Amino acid sequence: MKRTYSQIDIEERRKIARWRMAGISVDVIAEKLGRHRSTIFREIRRNAFEDKQYPELSGYFCVTAHEIACERRAKLRKLARFSHLRQSVIDRIIHGWS
């Protein structure tokens, strides 16, 4: 069986949020979406909104979850942030370093 990975999109996040509000278990949600249960657990844990002032407003909300995930992916990596490091890597590759 061939495995492929795709990131959770906004439509799946909407379904997760709706089903969580309806009280459906993570195992059932994972089965309906065709994903592993740990993927759903991680999604809920990583992208849940937490309000320290008003804890009753905390929870998993699809739009907020999508924004959190997009922000995390948009962080620039080391070679993009540090031009001197990028140039050093390029120079070494040109000179045959692996």
Coordinates of all heavy atoms in Angstrom, one line a residue:
M1 N 0.8 -1.2 0.0 CA 0.0 0.0 0.0 C 0.9 1.2 0.0 O 1.8 1.4 0.8 CB -0.9 0.0 1.2 CG -1.8 1.2 1.3 SD -3.1 1.0 2.5 CE -2.2 1.3 4.0
K2 N 0.7 2.1 -0.9 CA 1.4 3.3 -1.0 C 0.9 4.4 -0.1 O -0.3 4.7 0.0 CB 1.4 3.9 -2.5 CG 2.2 5.1 -2.7 CD 2.1 5.5 -4.2 CE 2.9 6.8 -4.4 NZ 2.8 7.2 -5.8
R3 N 1.8 5.0 0.7 CA 1.4 6.1 1.6 C 1.8 7.4 1.0 O 2.9 7.6 0.6 CB 2.1 5.9 2.9 CG 1.6 4.8 3.7 CD 2.1 4.9 5.1 NE 2.5 3.6 5.6 CZ 3.0 3.5 6.8 NH1 3.1 4.5 7.7 NH2 3.4 2.3 7.2
T4 N 0.9 8.4 1.1 CA 1.2 9.7 0.7 C 0.7 10.6 1.8 O -0.3 10.4 2.5 CB 0.6 10.1 -0.7 OG1 -0.8 10.0 -0.5 CG2 1.0 9.3 -1.8
Y5 N 1.4 11.7 2.0 CA 1.1 12.7 3.0 C 0.6 14.0 2.4 O 1.2 14.5 1.5 CB 2.3 13.0 3.9 CG 2.0 14.0 4.9 CD1 1.2 13.7 6.1 CD2 2.4 15.3 4.7 CE1 0.9 14.7 7.0 CE2 2.1 16.3 5.7 CZ 1.4 16.0 6.8 OH 1.1 17.0 7.7
S6 N -0.5 14.5 2.9 CA -0.9 15.8 2.5 C -1.3 16.6 3.8 O -1.8 16.0 4.7 CB -2.1 15.8 1.5 OG -3.2 15.2 2.2
Q7 N -1.0 17.9 3.8 CA -1.3 18.6 5.0 C -2.8 18.9 5.1 O -3.5 18.9 4.1 CB -0.5 20.0 4.9 CG 1.0 19.8 5.0 CD 1.7 21.0 5.1 OE1 1.2 22.1 5.0 NE2 3.0 20.9 5.3
I8 N -3.2 19.1 6.3 CA -4.7 19.3 6.5 C -5.0 20.6 6.0 O -4.4 21.6 6.2 CB -5.0 19.2 8.0 CG1 -4.7 17.7 8.5 CG2 -6.4 19.5 8.3 CD1 -4.8 17.5 10.0
D9 N -6.1 20.7 5.2 CA -6.5 21.9 4.6 C -7.7 22.5 5.4 O -8.2 21.9 6.4 CB -6.9 21.7 3.1 CG -8.0 20.8 2.9 OD1 -8.6 20.2 3.9 OD2 -8.4 20.6 1.7
I10 N -8.2 23.7 5.0 CA -9.2 24.4 5.7 C -10.5 23.6 5.7 O -11.2 23.6 6.7 CB -9.4 25.8 5.1 CG1 -10.4 26.6 6.0 CG2 -9.9 25.8 3.7 CD1 -9.9 27.0 7.3
E11 N -10.8 22.9 4.7 CA -12.1 22.1 4.6 C -12.0 21.0 5.7 O -13.0 20.7 6.4 CB -12.3 21.5 3.2 CG -12.6 22.5 2.2 CD -13.9 23.3 2.6 OE1 -14.9 22.7 3.0 OE2 -13.9 24.5 2.4
E12 N -10.9 20.3 5.8 CA -10.8 19.2 6.8 C -10.8 19.8 8.2 O -11.4 19.3 9.1 CB -9.5 18.4 6.6 CG -9.5 17.5 5.5 CD -8.3 16.7 5.3 OE1 -7.2 17.3 5.4 OE2 -8.4 15.5 5.1
R13 N -10.2 21.0 8.4 CA -10.3 21.7 9.7 C -11.7 22.1 10.0 O -12.1 22.0 11.2 CB -9.4 22.9 9.7 CG -7.9 22.5 9.7 CD -7.0 23.7 9.9 NE -5.6 23.3 10.1 CZ -4.7 23.3 9.2 NH1 -4.9 23.8 8.0 NH2 -3.5 22.8 9.4
R14 N -12.5 22.5 9.1 CA -13.9 22.8 9.3 C -14.7 21.5 9.8 O -15.5 21.6 10.7 CB -14.6 23.3 8.1 CG -14.2 24.8 7.8 CD -15.1 25.3 6.6 NE -14.7 26.7 6.4 CZ -14.2 27.2 5.3 NH1 -14.1 26.4 4.2 NH2 -13.9 28.4 5.2
K15 N -14.4 20.4 9.2 CA -15.0 19.2 9.6 C -14.6 18.8 11.0 O -15.4 18.4 11.8 CB -14.7 18.1 8.6 CG -15.3 18.3 7.2 CD -14.9 17.2 6.2 CE -15.5 17.4 4.8 NZ -15.0 16.5 3.9
I16 N -13.3 18.9 11.2 CA -12.8 18.5 12.6 C -13.5 19.4 13.6 O -14.0 18.9 14.7 CB -11.3 18.7 12.7 CG1 -10.6 17.6 11.8 CG2 -10.8 18.6 14.1 CD1 -9.1 17.9 11.6
A17 N -13.6 20.7 13.4 CA -14.2 21.6 14.4 C -15.7 21.3 14.6 O -16.2 21.2 15.7 CB -14.0 23.0 13.9
R18 N -16.4 21.0 13.5 CA -17.8 20.7 13.6 C -18.0 19.4 14.3 O -18.9 19.3 15.2 CB -18.4 20.6 12.2 CG -19.6 21.4 11.9 CD -20.2 21.3 10.5 NE -19.2 21.8 9.5 CZ -18.9 21.1 8.4 NH1 -19.4 20.0 8.1 NH2 -18.0 21.6 7.6
W19 N -17.2 18.4 14.0 CA -17.4 17.1 14.7 C -17.0 17.1 16.1 O -17.6 16.5 17.0 CB -16.6 16.0 13.9 CG -17.3 15.7 12.6 CD1 -18.6 15.9 12.2 CD2 -16.6 15.2 11.4 NE1 -18.8 15.5 10.9 CE2 -17.6 15.1 10.4 CE3 -15.3 14.9 11.1 CZ2 -17.3 14.6 9.1 CZ3 -15.0 14.4 9.8 CH2 -16.0 14.3 8.8
R20 N -16.0 17.9 16.4 CA -15.6 18.1 17.8 C -16.7 18.7 18.7 O -16.9 18.3 19.8 CB -14.3 18.9 18.0 CG -13.0 18.2 17.5 CD -12.6 17.1 18.3 NE -12.2 17.5 19.6 CZ -12.0 16.8 20.7 NH1 -12.3 15.5 20.6 NH2 -11.6 17.3 21.8
M21 N -17.3 19.8 18.1 CA -18.4 20.5 18.7 C -19.6 19.5 18.9 O -20.3 19.6 19.9 CB -18.9 21.7 17.9 CG -17.9 22.8 17.9 SD -17.6 23.6 19.5 CE -19.0 24.8 19.4
A22 N -19.8 18.5 18.0 CA -20.8 17.6 18.1 C -20.5 16.4 19.1 O -21.4 15.6 19.4 CB -21.1 17.0 16.7
G23 N -19.3 16.4 19.6 CA -18.9 15.4 20.6 C -18.4 14.1 20.0 O -18.3 13.1 20.7
I24 N -18.1 14.1 18.7 CA -17.6 12.9 18.1 C -16.1 12.7 18.5 O -15.3 13.6 18.5 CB -17.7 13.0 16.5 CG1 -19.2 13.1 16.2 CG2 -17.1 11.8 15.8 CD1 -19.5 13.3 14.7
S25 N -15.8 11.4 18.7 CA -14.4 11.1 19.2 C -13.4 11.3 18.1 O -13.7 11.3 16.9 CB -14.4 9.6 19.7 OG -14.4 8.8 18.6
V26 N -12.2 11.4 18.5 CA -11.1 11.6 17.6 C -10.9 10.4 16.7 O -10.6 10.5 15.5 CB -9.8 12.0 18.3 CG1 -8.6 12.0 17.4 CG2 -9.9 13.3 19.0
D27 N -11.1 9.2 17.2 CA -11.0 8.0 16.4 C -12.0 8.0 15.3 O -11.6 7.6 14.1 CB -11.2 6.8 17.3 CG -10.1 6.6 18.3 OD1 -8.9 6.9 18.0 OD2 -10.3 6.1 19.4
V28 N -13.2 8.4 15.5 CA -14.2 8.4 14.5 C -13.9 9.5 13.5 O -14.0 9.3 12.3 CB -15.6 8.6 15.1 CG1 -16.7 8.8 14.0 CG2 -15.9 7.5 16.0
I29 N -13.4 10.7 13.9 CA -13.1 11.8 13.0 C -11.9 11.3 12.1 O -12.0 11.5 10.9 CB -12.6 13.0 13.8 CG1 -13.8 13.6 14.6 CG2 -12.0 14.1 12.9 CD1 -13.5 14.7 15.5
A30 N -10.9 10.7 12.7 CA -9.8 10.2 11.9 C -10.3 9.2 10.8 O -9.8 9.2 9.7 CB -8.8 9.6 12.8
E31 N -11.2 8.3 11.2 CA -11.7 7.3 10.3 C -12.5 8.0 9.1 O -12.3 7.6 8.0 CB -12.6 6.3 11.0 CG -13.0 5.1 10.2 CD -13.8 4.2 11.0 OE1 -13.5 3.9 12.2 OE2 -14.8 3.6 10.4
K32 N -13.3 9.0 9.5 CA -14.1 9.7 8.5 C -13.2 10.4 7.5 O -13.5 10.5 6.3 CB -15.1 10.6 9.1 CG -16.2 9.9 9.8 CD -17.2 11.0 10.3 CE -18.5 10.3 10.8 NZ -19.5 11.3 11.2
L33 N -12.1 11.0 8.0 CA -11.2 11.8 7.1 C -10.2 10.9 6.4 O -9.4 11.4 5.6 CB -10.5 12.9 7.9 CG -11.4 14.0 8.5 CD1 -10.6 14.9 9.3 CD2 -12.1 14.8 7.3
G34 N -10.0 9.7 6.8 CA -9.1 8.8 6.2 C -7.6 9.1 6.7 O -6.7 9.0 5.9
R35 N -7.5 9.5 7.9 CA -6.2 9.9 8.5 C -6.0 9.1 9.7 O -6.9 8.6 10.3 CB -6.1 11.4 8.8 CG -6.3 12.2 7.5 CD -5.7 13.6 7.8 NE -5.7 14.4 6.6 CZ -4.7 14.8 5.9 NH1 -3.5 14.3 6.3 NH2 -4.8 15.6 4.9
H36 N -4.7 9.1 10.2 CA -4.4 8.4 11.4 C -4.9 9.2 12.6 O -4.9 10.4 12.5 CB -2.9 8.1 11.5 CG -2.5 7.1 12.5 ND1 -2.3 7.4 13.8 CD2 -2.3 5.8 12.4 CE1 -2.0 6.3 14.5 NE2 -2.0 5.3 13.7
R37 N -5.3 8.5 13.6 CA -5.8 9.2 14.8 C -4.8 10.2 15.4 O -5.1 11.2 15.9 CB -6.3 8.2 15.8 CG -5.3 7.3 16.4 CD -5.8 6.2 17.3 NE -6.5 6.6 18.5 CZ -5.9 6.7 19.6 NH1 -4.6 6.4 19.8 NH2 -6.6 7.2 20.7
S38 N -3.5 9.8 15.4 CA -2.5 10.7 15.9 C -2.4 12.0 15.2 O -2.0 13.0 15.7 CB -1.1 10.0 16.0 OG -0.6 9.7 14.7
T39 N -2.6 12.0 13.9 CA -2.6 13.2 13.1 C -3.7 14.2 13.6 O -3.5 15.4 13.7 CB -2.9 12.9 11.6 OG1 -1.9 11.9 11.1 CG2 -2.9 14.1 10.7
I40 N -4.9 13.6 13.9 CA -6.0 14.5 14.4 C -5.7 15.0 15.8 O -5.9 16.2 16.0 CB -7.3 13.7 14.3 CG1 -7.6 13.1 12.9 CG2 -8.5 14.6 14.8 CD1 -7.6 14.2 11.8
F41 N -5.1 14.1 16.6 CA -4.7 14.6 18.0 C -3.7 15.7 17.9 O -3.8 16.7 18.6 CB -4.1 13.4 18.8 CG -5.2 12.6 19.5 CD1 -5.3 11.2 19.2 CD2 -6.0 13.1 20.5 CE1 -6.3 10.5 19.9 CE2 -6.9 12.4 21.2 CZ -7.0 11.0 20.9
R42 N -2.7 15.5 17.0 CA -1.7 16.6 16.9 C -2.2 17.8 16.3 O -1.9 18.9 16.8 CB -0.6 16.1 15.9 CG 0.6 15.5 16.6 CD 1.7 15.2 15.7 NE 1.8 13.7 15.5 CZ 1.6 13.1 14.4 NH1 1.4 13.7 13.3 NH2 1.6 11.8 14.4
E43 N -3.1 17.8 15.4 CA -3.8 18.9 14.8 C -4.5 19.7 15.9 O -4.4 20.9 16.0 CB -4.7 18.5 13.7 CG -5.7 19.6 13.2 CD -5.0 20.7 12.5 OE1 -3.8 20.6 12.0 OE2 -5.6 21.8 12.4
I44 N -5.3 19.0 16.7 CA -6.1 19.7 17.7 C -5.1 20.3 18.8 O -5.3 21.4 19.2 CB -7.1 18.7 18.3 CG1 -8.1 18.3 17.3 CG2 -7.7 19.3 19.6 CD1 -9.0 17.2 17.7
R45 N -4.1 19.6 19.2 CA -3.2 20.1 20.2 C -2.4 21.3 19.7 O -2.3 22.3 20.4 CB -2.2 19.0 20.6 CG -1.4 19.4 21.8 CD -0.4 18.3 22.2 NE 0.7 18.2 21.2 CZ 1.0 17.2 20.5 NH1 0.4 16.0 20.7 NH2 2.0 17.2 19.6
R46 N -1.8 21.2 18.5 CA -1.0 22.3 18.0 C -1.7 23.5 17.6 O -1.2 24.6 17.7 CB -0.3 21.8 16.7 CG 0.8 20.8 16.9 CD 1.4 20.5 15.6 NE 2.4 19.5 15.7 CZ 2.9 18.7 14.7 NH1 2.4 18.9 13.5 NH2 3.8 17.8 14.9
N47 N -2.9 23.4 17.1 CA -3.6 24.5 16.5 C -4.8 25.0 17.3 O -5.7 25.7 16.8 CB -4.0 24.2 15.1 CG -2.8 24.0 14.2 OD1 -1.7 24.6 14.4 ND2 -2.8 23.0 13.3
A48 N -5.0 24.5 18.5 CA -6.1 25.0 19.3 C -5.8 26.4 19.9 O -4.7 26.8 20.1 CB -6.3 24.0 20.5
F49 N -6.9 27.2 19.9 CA -6.8 28.6 20.4 C -6.9 28.5 22.0 O -7.8 27.8 22.5 CB -7.9 29.4 19.9 CG -8.0 30.8 20.4 CD1 -7.1 31.7 20.1 CD2 -9.0 31.1 21.3 CE1 -7.2 33.0 20.6 CE2 -9.1 32.4 21.8 CZ -8.2 33.3 21.5
E50 N -6.0 29.3 22.6 CA -6.0 29.3 24.1 C -6.1 30.8 24.5 O -5.2 31.5 24.2 CB -4.8 28.6 24.7 CG -4.8 28.5 26.2 CD -3.7 27.7 26.7 OE1 -3.1 26.9 26.0 OE2 -3.4 27.9 27.9
D51 N -7.1 31.1 25.3 CA -7.2 32.5 25.8 C -7.0 32.4 27.3 O -7.9 31.8 28.0 CB -8.6 33.0 25.5 CG -8.7 34.5 25.8 OD1 -7.9 35.0 26.6 OD2 -9.6 35.2 25.2
K52 N -5.9 32.9 27.8 CA -5.6 32.9 29.2 C -6.6 33.7 30.1 O -6.9 33.4 31.2 CB -4.2 33.2 29.5 CG -3.2 32.3 28.8 CD -1.8 32.4 29.3 CE -0.8 31.6 28.6 NZ -1.1 30.3 28.3
Q53 N -7.1 34.8 29.5 CA -8.0 35.7 30.3 C -9.4 35.1 30.4 O -10.0 35.2 31.4 CB -8.1 37.1 29.6 CG -7.0 38.0 30.1 CD -7.3 39.4 29.5 OE1 -7.6 39.6 28.4 NE2 -7.2 40.4 30.4
Y54 N -9.8 34.5 29.3 CA -11.2 33.9 29.2 C -11.1 32.5 28.8 O -11.3 32.1 27.6 CB -12.1 34.7 28.3 CG -12.2 36.1 28.6 CD1 -11.5 37.1 28.0 CD2 -13.1 36.5 29.7 CE1 -11.7 38.5 28.3 CE2 -13.2 37.8 30.0 CZ -12.5 38.8 29.3 OH -12.6 40.1 29.7
P55 N -10.7 31.6 29.7 CA -10.5 30.1 29.3 C -11.7 29.5 28.7 O -11.6 28.5 27.9 CB -10.1 29.5 30.7 CG -10.0 30.5 31.7 CD -10.5 31.8 31.1
E56 N -12.9 30.0 29.0 CA -14.1 29.4 28.4 C -14.2 29.6 26.9 O -15.0 29.0 26.2 CB -15.4 29.9 29.1 CG -15.7 31.4 28.9 CD -15.0 32.2 30.0 OE1 -14.2 31.7 30.8 OE2 -15.2 33.5 30.0
L57 N -13.4 30.6 26.4 CA -13.4 30.9 24.9 C -12.3 30.0 24.2 O -12.2 30.1 23.0 CB -13.1 32.3 24.7 CG -14.2 33.3 25.2 CD1 -13.8 34.7 24.9 CD2 -15.5 33.0 24.6
S58 N -11.5 29.3 25.0 CA -10.5 28.4 24.4 C -11.1 27.2 23.7 O -12.2 26.8 24.1 CB -9.5 28.0 25.4 OG -8.8 29.1 26.0
G59 N -10.4 26.7 22.6 CA -10.9 25.6 21.9 C -10.3 25.5 20.6 O -9.4 26.3 20.2
Y60 N -10.8 24.5 19.8 CA -10.4 24.3 18.4 C -11.4 25.0 17.5 O -12.5 24.6 17.4 CB -10.2 22.8 18.1 CG -9.7 22.6 16.7 CD1 -8.4 22.5 16.5 CD2 -10.6 22.3 15.7 CE1 -7.9 22.3 15.2 CE2 -10.1 22.1 14.4 CZ -8.7 22.1 14.2 OH -8.2 21.9 12.9
F61 N -10.9 26.0 16.8 CA -11.7 26.7 15.8 C -11.0 26.7 14.5 O -9.8 27.0 14.4 CB -11.9 28.2 16.2 CG -12.5 28.3 17.6 CD1 -11.7 28.6 18.7 CD2 -13.8 28.0 17.9 CE1 -12.2 28.7 20.0 CE2 -14.3 28.1 19.1 CZ -13.5 28.5 20.2
C62 N -11.7 26.3 13.4 CA -11.1 26.0 12.1 C -10.3 27.1 11.5 O -9.2 27.0 11.1 CB -12.1 25.4 11.1 SG -13.5 26.6 10.8
V63 N -10.9 28.3 11.5 CA -10.2 29.5 10.9 C -8.9 29.8 11.7 O -7.9 30.0 11.1 CB -11.1 30.7 10.8 CG1 -10.4 31.9 10.3 CG2 -12.3 30.3 9.9
T64 N -9.0 29.9 13.0 CA -7.9 30.2 13.9 C -6.8 29.1 13.7 O -5.6 29.4 13.6 CB -8.3 30.3 15.3 OG1 -9.4 31.2 15.4 CG2 -7.2 30.7 16.2
A65 N -7.2 27.8 13.7 CA -6.3 26.7 13.5 C -5.6 26.8 12.2 O -4.4 26.6 12.1 CB -7.1 25.4 13.6
H66 N -6.3 27.2 11.1 CA -5.7 27.3 9.8 C -4.6 28.5 9.8 O -3.5 28.3 9.3 CB -6.7 27.6 8.7 CG -6.2 27.5 7.4 ND1 -5.8 26.3 6.8 CD2 -6.0 28.4 6.4 CE1 -5.4 26.5 5.6 NE2 -5.5 27.8 5.3
E67 N -5.0 29.6 10.5 CA -4.0 30.7 10.5 C -2.8 30.4 11.3 O -1.7 30.7 10.9 CB -4.7 31.9 11.2 CG -5.7 32.6 10.3 CD -6.5 33.7 11.0 OE1 -6.3 34.0 12.2 OE2 -7.4 34.2 10.3
I68 N -2.9 29.6 12.4 CA -1.8 29.2 13.3 C -0.9 28.3 12.4 O 0.3 28.5 12.4 CB -2.3 28.5 14.5 CG1 -3.0 29.5 15.5 CG2 -1.1 27.8 15.3 CD1 -3.7 28.8 16.6
A69 N -1.5 27.4 11.7 CA -0.7 26.4 10.9 C 0.0 27.2 9.8 O 1.2 26.9 9.5 CB -1.6 25.3 10.3
C70 N -0.6 28.1 9.1 CA 0.0 28.8 8.0 C 1.2 29.7 8.6 O 2.2 29.8 7.9 CB -1.0 29.7 7.3 SG -2.2 28.7 6.3
E71 N 1.0 30.3 9.7 CA 2.0 31.2 10.3 C 3.2 30.3 10.6 O 4.4 30.7 10.4 CB 1.6 31.8 11.6 CG 0.7 33.0 11.4 CD 0.1 33.6 12.7 OE1 0.7 33.3 13.7 OE2 -0.9 34.3 12.6
R72 N 3.0 29.1 11.2 CA 4.1 28.2 11.5 C 4.9 27.8 10.3 O 6.1 27.7 10.3 CB 3.6 27.0 12.3 CG 4.6 26.2 12.9 CD 4.1 25.1 13.8 NE 3.0 24.3 13.3 CZ 1.7 24.4 13.7 NH1 1.4 25.3 14.7 NH2 0.8 23.7 13.2
R73 N 4.2 27.5 9.2 CA 4.9 27.1 7.9 C 5.6 28.3 7.2 O 6.5 28.0 6.5 CB 3.8 26.6 7.0 CG 3.7 25.1 7.0 CD 2.8 24.5 6.0 NE 1.6 24.0 6.7 CZ 0.4 24.4 6.5 NH1 0.1 25.3 5.6 NH2 -0.6 23.9 7.2
A74 N 5.1 29.5 7.5 CA 5.7 30.7 6.8 C 7.0 31.2 7.4 O 7.6 32.0 6.8 CB 4.7 31.8 6.8
K75 N 7.4 30.6 8.5 CA 8.7 31.1 9.1 C 9.8 30.8 8.2 O 10.0 29.7 7.6 CB 9.0 30.4 10.4 CG 8.1 30.8 11.6 CD 8.4 30.1 12.8 CE 7.5 30.5 13.9 NZ 7.7 29.7 15.2
L76 N 10.7 31.8 8.0 CA 11.8 31.7 7.1 C 12.9 30.7 7.8 O 13.2 30.8 8.9 CB 12.5 33.0 6.8 CG 11.6 34.0 6.0 CD1 12.3 35.3 5.9 CD2 11.3 33.4 4.7
R77 N 13.5 29.9 6.9 CA 14.5 29.0 7.4 C 15.8 29.7 7.5 O 16.0 30.8 7.0 CB 14.6 27.8 6.5 CG 13.2 27.1 6.3 CD 12.7 26.5 7.6 NE 11.4 25.9 7.5 CZ 10.4 26.1 8.2 NH1 10.5 26.9 9.2 NH2 9.3 25.4 8.1
K78 N 16.8 29.0 8.1 CA 18.1 29.6 8.4 C 18.8 30.2 7.2 O 19.3 31.3 7.2 CB 19.0 28.6 9.0 CG 18.7 28.3 10.5 CD 19.7 27.3 11.1 CE 19.3 27.0 12.5 NZ 20.2 26.0 13.1
L79 N 18.8 29.4 6.1 CA 19.5 29.9 4.9 C 18.8 31.1 4.3 O 19.4 31.9 3.6 CB 19.6 28.8 3.8 CG 20.6 27.7 4.2 CD1 20.6 26.6 3.1 CD2 21.9 28.2 4.6
A80 N 17.5 31.3 4.5 CA 16.8 32.4 4.0 C 17.0 33.6 4.9 O 17.0 34.8 4.4 CB 15.3 32.1 3.9
R81 N 17.1 33.4 6.2 CA 17.3 34.5 7.2 C 18.7 35.0 7.2 O 18.9 36.2 7.4 CB 16.9 34.0 8.6 CG 15.4 33.9 8.8 CD 15.1 33.5 10.2 NE 15.5 32.1 10.4 CZ 15.7 31.6 11.6 NH1 15.5 32.3 12.7 NH2 16.0 30.3 11.7
F82 N 19.7 34.2 7.1 CA 21.1 34.6 7.2 C 21.8 34.5 5.9 O 22.3 33.5 5.5 CB 21.8 33.8 8.3 CG 21.0 33.7 9.6 CD1 20.4 32.6 10.1 CD2 20.9 34.9 10.4 CE1 19.8 32.6 11.3 CE2 20.2 34.9 11.6 CZ 19.7 33.7 12.1
S83 N 22.0 35.7 5.3 CA 22.6 35.7 4.0 C 24.1 35.2 4.0 O 24.6 34.6 3.1 CB 22.5 37.1 3.3 OG 23.2 38.0 4.2
H84 N 24.8 35.6 5.1 CA 26.2 35.2 5.2 C 26.3 33.6 5.3 O 27.2 33.0 4.8 CB 26.9 35.8 6.4 CG 26.4 35.5 7.7 ND1 25.2 36.0 8.3 CD2 26.8 34.6 8.6 CE1 25.0 35.4 9.4 NE2 25.9 34.6 9.7
L85 N 25.4 33.0 6.0 CA 25.4 31.6 6.1 C 25.1 30.9 4.8 O 25.7 30.0 4.3 CB 24.4 31.1 7.2 CG 24.2 29.6 7.3 CD1 25.5 29.0 7.8 CD2 23.1 29.3 8.3
R86 N 24.1 31.5 4.1 CA 23.7 31.0 2.7 C 24.9 31.1 1.8 O 25.2 30.1 1.1 CB 22.5 31.8 2.2 CG 22.1 31.3 0.8 CD 20.8 32.1 0.3 NE 21.0 33.5 0.3 CZ 20.4 34.4 1.1 NH1 19.5 33.9 2.0 NH2 20.6 35.7 1.1
Q87 N 25.6 32.2 1.8 CA 26.8 32.4 0.9 C 27.9 31.4 1.3 O 28.5 30.9 0.4 CB 27.3 33.8 0.9 CG 28.3 34.1 -0.1 CD 27.8 33.8 -1.5 OE1 26.7 34.3 -1.9 NE2 28.5 33.1 -2.3
S88 N 28.1 31.2 2.5 CA 29.1 30.2 3.0 C 28.8 28.8 2.5 O 29.7 28.1 2.0 CB 29.2 30.2 4.5 OG 30.1 29.3 5.0
V89 N 27.5 28.4 2.6 CA 27.1 27.1 2.1 C 27.3 27.0 0.6 O 27.8 26.0 0.1 CB 25.6 26.8 2.5 CG1 25.1 25.6 1.8 CG2 25.5 26.7 4.0
I90 N 26.9 28.0 -0.1 CA 27.1 28.0 -1.6 C 28.6 27.9 -2.0 O 28.9 27.1 -2.8 CB 26.5 29.3 -2.2 CG1 24.9 29.2 -2.1 CG2 26.9 29.5 -3.7 CD1 24.2 30.6 -2.4
D91 N 29.4 28.7 -1.3 CA 30.9 28.6 -1.6 C 31.4 27.2 -1.3 O 32.2 26.7 -2.1 CB 31.6 29.6 -0.7 CG 31.3 31.1 -1.1 OD1 30.9 31.3 -2.2 OD2 31.6 31.9 -0.2
R92 N 31.0 26.6 -0.3 CA 31.5 25.2 0.1 C 31.0 24.2 -0.9 O 31.7 23.3 -1.3 CB 31.1 24.9 1.5 CG 32.0 25.7 2.5 CD 31.8 25.2 3.9 NE 32.8 25.8 4.8 CZ 32.5 26.9 5.5 NH1 31.4 27.5 5.5 NH2 33.5 27.4 6.3
I93 N 29.8 24.4 -1.4 CA 29.2 23.4 -2.4 C 30.0 23.6 -3.7 O 30.4 22.6 -4.3 CB 27.7 23.7 -2.6 CG1 27.0 23.2 -1.4 CG2 27.2 22.9 -3.8 CD1 25.5 23.5 -1.4
I94 N 30.3 24.8 -4.1 CA 31.1 25.1 -5.3 C 32.5 24.4 -5.2 O 33.0 23.9 -6.2 CB 31.2 26.6 -5.6 CG1 29.8 27.2 -6.0 CG2 32.3 26.9 -6.6 CD1 29.8 28.7 -6.1
H95 N 33.0 24.4 -4.0 CA 34.4 23.8 -3.8 C 34.4 22.3 -3.5 O 35.4 21.8 -3.1 CB 35.1 24.6 -2.7 CG 35.5 25.9 -3.1 ND1 34.8 27.1 -2.8 CD2 36.6 26.4 -3.8 CE1 35.4 28.1 -3.3 NE2 36.5 27.7 -3.9
G96 N 33.2 21.7 -3.8 CA 33.1 20.2 -3.7 C 32.8 19.7 -2.3 O 32.8 18.4 -2.2
W97 N 32.4 20.5 -1.4 CA 31.9 19.9 -0.1 C 30.6 19.3 -0.3 O 29.8 19.7 -1.1 CB 31.8 21.1 0.9 CG 33.1 21.6 1.4 CD1 34.2 21.9 0.7 CD2 33.5 22.0 2.8 NE1 35.2 22.4 1.5 CE2 34.8 22.5 2.8 CE3 32.8 21.9 4.0 CZ2 35.4 22.9 3.9 CZ3 33.4 22.4 5.1 CH2 34.7 22.8 5.1
S98 N 30.3 18.3 0.6 CA 29.0 17.7 0.5 C 28.1 18.3 1.5 O 28.5 18.9 2.4 CB 29.1 16.2 0.7 OG 29.6 15.9 2.0

